[in-house]
């Protein structure tokens, strides 16, 4: 089946396209700038066409020979997003009808009650659905509320509010009911609706198995994330407009996006029917519950592989994790300290120093600081530095190394350690030995910290001023030790015989 995906550089389109490809469909992506998909691994298997839904002359080539067209774009964040979405949906509908497209699939928002005055965001989503249903092309409109997955704007607001604020003064709408749905269930519906018979042309409510208040979602997020129960104090004067500014301050979600989303929360968003199950049956184990959806979203980094996990995202859980095309504010907070040094020694000499780290060799910087950190860890019930290492020269995946655990080794190249000291978050230390073009080495050191709650952010802020001393000294001294070892061993074939000295 030939599918056109609009919004392939966005949250859902970027997750839908590779799953369509995996099922053997031909995928064409309509984007305004093809370069935004350049580094996305699945894009090489898709056809990428540049065009703009607000420029109808660019659309015929994109719609040519297409059987199913997905409308997954919106203009949220623009000054007049309602007018922009109205124009884009009209052009999309006209182009689909002219090209003989057999099916349109659109993901919209929940339908407010008839006596409500819908927010501009929900009003626009509903208007787009009506335009597509009136196109003359069989259309499915999926109406979803909060989508749970790393990168979803609604989920990112929930994540950051809950993690950063143990006490919250909130608007009264925090008691309104919503029916969240896991992103993998949304994708399952999007794919399943592509093959519906032409007589099915209507809107469907879609939601997960749990109906919760927004306050409930924050408490249950906190429980899954291992945070203490949050104190939530609803107050009357906090209007949606004031709330959106508050969300913009506390979370990295831009105010121009937060405001229309917050304004939408004054409406309850609960599915009124589950007719979609007659056409796309529920999976054998049922739809994904809220707690499981959050758990999947929080496995966004398996574990320290912050920059690489998305590249193998093909399993059923992967849609909840971030992609490189997601906005910069998605995926939760990750703090990184990166150091890089040129080392006048062959990579094998540098690797020997890396693999010998810890235990009697120490950590190559400010021994007192490491000793104090180990003592403090023991004081609060942690493992401290007493575990040492089992072998003075060799390390193995899974073994203890002082207050770290060896998580990954690529012999001669990579050592990744996972912290087991008591921390308000999760931490890793990654040490690499890379060979340069001129025959010497490059040492790359990366410390990664994923904070848990406000205490995690405060912890990183407190220790960050000492990183130049601890991590900077560590990188400098490891490089120096490798160079000294190389000089002591004598010239190496293909390696310069005149030392440069410490780099940096």
């Amino acid at each position: 089946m030939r599918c056109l995906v609009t919004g392939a550089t966005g949250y859902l389109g970027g997750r839908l396209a590779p799953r369509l490809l995996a099922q053997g469909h031909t995928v064409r992506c309509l984007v305004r700038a093809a370069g935004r998909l350049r580094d996305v691994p699945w894009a090489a298997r898709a056809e990428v066409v540049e065009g703009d839904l607000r420029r109808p002359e660019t659309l015929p080539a994109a719609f040519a020979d297409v059987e199913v067209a997905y409308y997954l774009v919106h203009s949220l964040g623009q000054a007049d997003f309602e007018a922009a979405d109205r124009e884009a949906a009209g052009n999309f509908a006209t182009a689909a009808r002219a090209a003989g497209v057999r099916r349109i699939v659109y993901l919209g928002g929940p339908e407010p009650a008839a006596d409500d005055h819908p927010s501009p965001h929900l009003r626009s989503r509903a208007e787009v659905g009506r335009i597509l249903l009136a196109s003359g092309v069989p259309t499915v409109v999926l109406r979803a509320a909060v989508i749970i997955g790393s990168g979803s704007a609604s989920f990112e607001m929930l994540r950051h509010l809950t993690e950063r604020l143990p006490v919250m003064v909130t608007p009264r709408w925090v008691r309104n009911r919503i029916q969240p749905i896991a992103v993998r269930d949304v994708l399952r519906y999007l794919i399943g609706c592509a093959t519906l018979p032409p007589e099915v042309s209507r809107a469907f409510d879609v939601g997960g198995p749990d109906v919760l208040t927004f306050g409930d979602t924050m408490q249950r997020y906190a429980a899954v994330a291992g945070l203490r129960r949050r104190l939530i104090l609803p107050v009357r004067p906090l209007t949606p407009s004031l709330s959106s500014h508050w969300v913009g301050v506390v979370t990295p979600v831009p105010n121009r996006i937060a405001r229309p989303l917050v304004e939408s929360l004054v409406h309850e968003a609960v599915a009124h029917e589950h007719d979609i199950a007659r056409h796309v049956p529920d999976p054998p184990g049922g739809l994904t519950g809220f707690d499981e959806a959050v758990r999947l979203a929080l496995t966004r980094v398996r574990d320290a592989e912050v920059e690489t996990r998305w590249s193998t995202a093909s399993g059923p859980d992967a849609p909840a994790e971030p992609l490189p095309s997601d906005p910069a504010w998605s995926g939760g907070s990750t703090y990184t300290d990166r150091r890089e040094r040129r080392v006048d020694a062959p990579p094998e000499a540098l690797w020997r120093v890396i693999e010998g780290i810890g235990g009697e060799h120490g950590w190559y910087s400010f021994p007192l600081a490491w000793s104090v950190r180990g003592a403090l860890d023991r004081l609060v019930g942690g493992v401290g530095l007493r575990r040492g290492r089992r072998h003075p020269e060799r390390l193995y995946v899974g073994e203890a190394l002082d207050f770290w655990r060896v998580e990954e080794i690529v012999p001669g190249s990579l050592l990744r350690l996972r912290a087991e000291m008591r921390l308000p978050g999760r931490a890793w230390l990654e040490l690499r030995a890379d060979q340069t073009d001129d025959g010497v080495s490059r040492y790359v050191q990366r410390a990664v910290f994923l904070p848990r709650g406000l205490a995690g952010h405060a912890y990183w802020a407190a220790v960050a001023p000492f990183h130049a001393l601890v991590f900077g000294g560590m990188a400098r001294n490891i490089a120096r030790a490798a160079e000294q070892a190389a000089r002591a061993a004598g010239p190496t074939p293909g390696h310069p015989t005149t030392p440069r000295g410490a780099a940096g």
Side-chain angles (χ1 to χ4, degrees), residues 143-180:
R143 297 188 296 219
V146 175
I147 297 176
I148 304 299
S150 183
S152 160
S154 298
F155 177 75
E156 295 302 333
M157 288 198 316
L158 170 67
R159 181 210 299 270
H160 287 95
L161 286 173
T162 308
E163 289 190 350
R164 297 184 178 187
L165 295 178
V167 179
M168 286 175 266
V169 177
T170 63
R172 287 184 302 163
W173 51 251
V174 77
R175 296 171 177 162
N176 287 353
R177 296 183 307 154
I178 57 176
Q179 192 167 349

Side-chain angles (χ1 to χ4, degrees), residues 245-258:
H245 289 293
W246 166 62
V247 169
V249 170
V250 175
T251 81
V253 180
N255 184 264
R256 68 183 187 277
I257 294 176

Side-chain angles (χ1 to χ4, degrees), residues 207-233:
D210 300 309
V211 177
L212 309 164
T213 68
F214 196 80
D216 291 336
T217 65
M218 288 191 280
Q219 298 292 14
R220 287 175 64 164
Y221 177 99
V224 175
L227 303 172
R228 293 182 179 179
R229 184 172 176 82
R230 281 15 210 164
L231 180 59
I232 299 174
L233 305 172

Side-chain angles (χ1 to χ4, degrees), residues 343 345-347 435-441 494-496:
V343 183
Q435 185 164 355
T436 61
D437 293 338
D438 55 359
V440 293
S441 305
H495 180 71

Side-chain angles (χ1 to χ4, degrees), residues 107-462:
L107 181 72
E111 186 82 4
D115 56 348
D116 270 355
H117 298 286
S119 69
H121 171 234
L122 293 184
R123 185 171 62 217
S124 175
R125 303 297 269 173
E127 181 182 25
V128 168
R130 290 193 296 271
I131 291 171
L132 298 178
L133 284 167
S135 65
V137 178
T139 298
V140 166
V141 174
L142 299 174
R143 297 188 296 219
V146 175
I147 297 176
I148 304 299
S150 183
S152 160
S154 298
F155 177 75
E156 295 302 333
M157 288 198 316
L158 170 67
R159 181 210 299 270
H160 287 95
L161 286 173
T162 308
E163 289 190 350
R164 297 184 178 187
L165 295 178
V167 179
M168 286 175 266
V169 177
T170 63
R172 287 184 302 163
W173 51 251
V174 77
R175 296 171 177 162
N176 287 353
R177 296 183 307 154
I178 57 176
Q179 192 167 349
I181 182 169
V183 62
R184 62 177 178 175
D185 289 332
V186 173
L187 291 168
R188 188 170 168 278
Y189 285 137
L190 288 170
I191 293 171
C193 286
T195 55
L196 296 186
E199 60 269 20
V200 179
S201 187
R202 54 163 288 190
F204 295 95
D205 288 347
V206 293
D210 300 309
V211 177
L212 309 164
T213 68
F214 196 80
D216 291 336
T217 65
M218 288 191 280
Q219 298 292 14
R220 287 175 64 164
Y221 177 99
V224 175
L227 303 172
R228 293 182 179 179
R229 184 172 176 82
R230 281 15 210 164
L231 180 59
I232 299 174
L233 305 172
V235 296
R236 182 181 297 271
L238 204 53
T239 65
S241 179
L242 287 174
S243 301
S244 66
H245 289 293
W246 166 62
V247 169
V249 170
V250 175
T251 81
V253 180
N255 184 264
R256 68 183 187 277
I257 294 176
R259 179 165 185 164
L261 292 177
V262 168
E263 290 174 343
S264 300
L265 292 173
V266 302
H267 307 285
E268 290 206 332
V270 177
H272 300 291
E273 41 84 9
H274 190 49
D275 297 349
I276 188 67
R278 296 204 299 264
H279 306 282
V280 184
D282 292 347
L287 297 173
T288 309
F290 177 81
D291 292 353
E292 175 65 5
V294 170
R295 186 191 68 77
L296 294 172
L298 294 183
T299 60
R300 66 193 189 281
V301 283
R302 285 270 197 264
D303 280 312
E305 297 180 11
V306 178
E307 293 138 344
T308 58
R309 179 67 185 100
W310 59 266
S311 65
T312 56
S314 58
D317 299 346
E321 302 176 3
L323 296 180
S325 54
D326 289 345
W329 43 260
S330 66
S333 299
T334 301
Y335 294 114
T336 303
D337 182 280
R338 180 185 173 92
R339 311 277 168 168
E340 185 172 321
R341 296 185 71 85
R342 175 187 168 93
V343 183
D344 190 18
E348 54 268 24
L350 175 57
W351 175 251
R352 283 194 294 271
V353 176
I354 290 174
E355 194 174 15
I357 200 167
E360 294 182 359
H361 294 149
W363 293 89
Y364 290 92
S365 72
F366 201 7
L368 179 60
W370 289 94
S371 298
V372 169
R373 183 65 183 87
L376 291 174
D377 193 55
R378 294 284 294 182
L379 190 64
V380 296
V383 296
L385 288 171
R386 295 183 182 177
R387 297 189 300 184
R389 53 180 295 155
R390 291 191 298 183
H391 191 283
E393 297 177 357
R394 297 287 179 264
L395 290 174
Y396 304 93
V397 171
E399 72 172 300
L401 176 60
D402 292 336
F403 46 39
W404 304 90
R405 180 74 58 178
V406 179
E407 185 173 86
E408 182 62 77
I409 294 179
V410 178
S413 175
L414 168 69
L415 171 64
R416 181 183 299 130
L417 306 174
R418 184 181 70 249
E420 292 194 334
M421 70 281 281
R422 293 294 184 93
L423 290 169
R426 293 179 292 164
W428 293 262
L429 180 62
E430 190 174 271
L431 316 176
R432 299 189 67 99
D434 296 335
Q435 185 164 355
T436 61
D437 293 338
D438 55 359
V440 293
S441 305
R442 182 174 62 251
Y443 173 67
V444 181
Q445 174 183 296
R446 192 167 65 109
V448 178
F449 181 63
L450 305 183
R452 184 177 64 248
L454 184 61
H457 295 279
Y459 172 82
W460 183 264

